[in-house]
């Protein structure tokens, strides 16, 4: 009986490790995507702010 319990525990440990690895990889991808979105949003806000300034262009 204890052999069956050891085999079951070992199987569940392997499955748990695989699931944790997949979740870790998914988390990395999501964080990378969020980083790009945040960077892109900041760039858009900076460009919009610069365009909203009334800077004289010097055309005569």
């Amino acid at each position: 009986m204890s052999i069956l319990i050891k085999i079951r525990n070992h199987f569940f440990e392997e499955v748990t490790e695989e699931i944790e690895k997949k979740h870790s990889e998914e988390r990395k991808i999501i964080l990378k995507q969020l980083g790009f979105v945040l960077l892109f949003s900041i760039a858009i806000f900076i460009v919009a702010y610069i365009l909203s300034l009334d800077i004289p262009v010097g055309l005569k």
Side-chain angles (χ1 to χ4, degrees):
M1 191 68 175
S2 66
I3 294 174
L4 291 175
I5 293 173
K6 287 180 183 179
I7 291 173
R8 184 193 69 176
N9 289 343
H10 180 70
F11 173 74
F12 281 121
E13 284 178 13
E14 286 183 7
V15 169
T16 304
E17 288 175 5
E18 288 179 23
I19 291 172
E20 288 176 356
K21 188 184 294 184
K22 285 181 184 178
H23 283 254
S24 172
E25 291 172 5
E26 290 174 359
R27 237 181 269 123
K28 287 179 185 177
I29 292 170
I30 290 171
L31 287 175
K32 190 181 292 186
Q33 290 175 344
L34 284 174
F36 283 127
V37 167
L38 183 63
L39 191 64
F40 186 70
S41 298
I42 291 172
I44 287 177
F45 282 120
I46 290 173
V47 169
Y49 176 74
I50 290 173
L51 291 176
S52 71
L53 297 175
D54 291 328
I55 301 173
V57 179
L59 295 175
K60 293 183 180 182

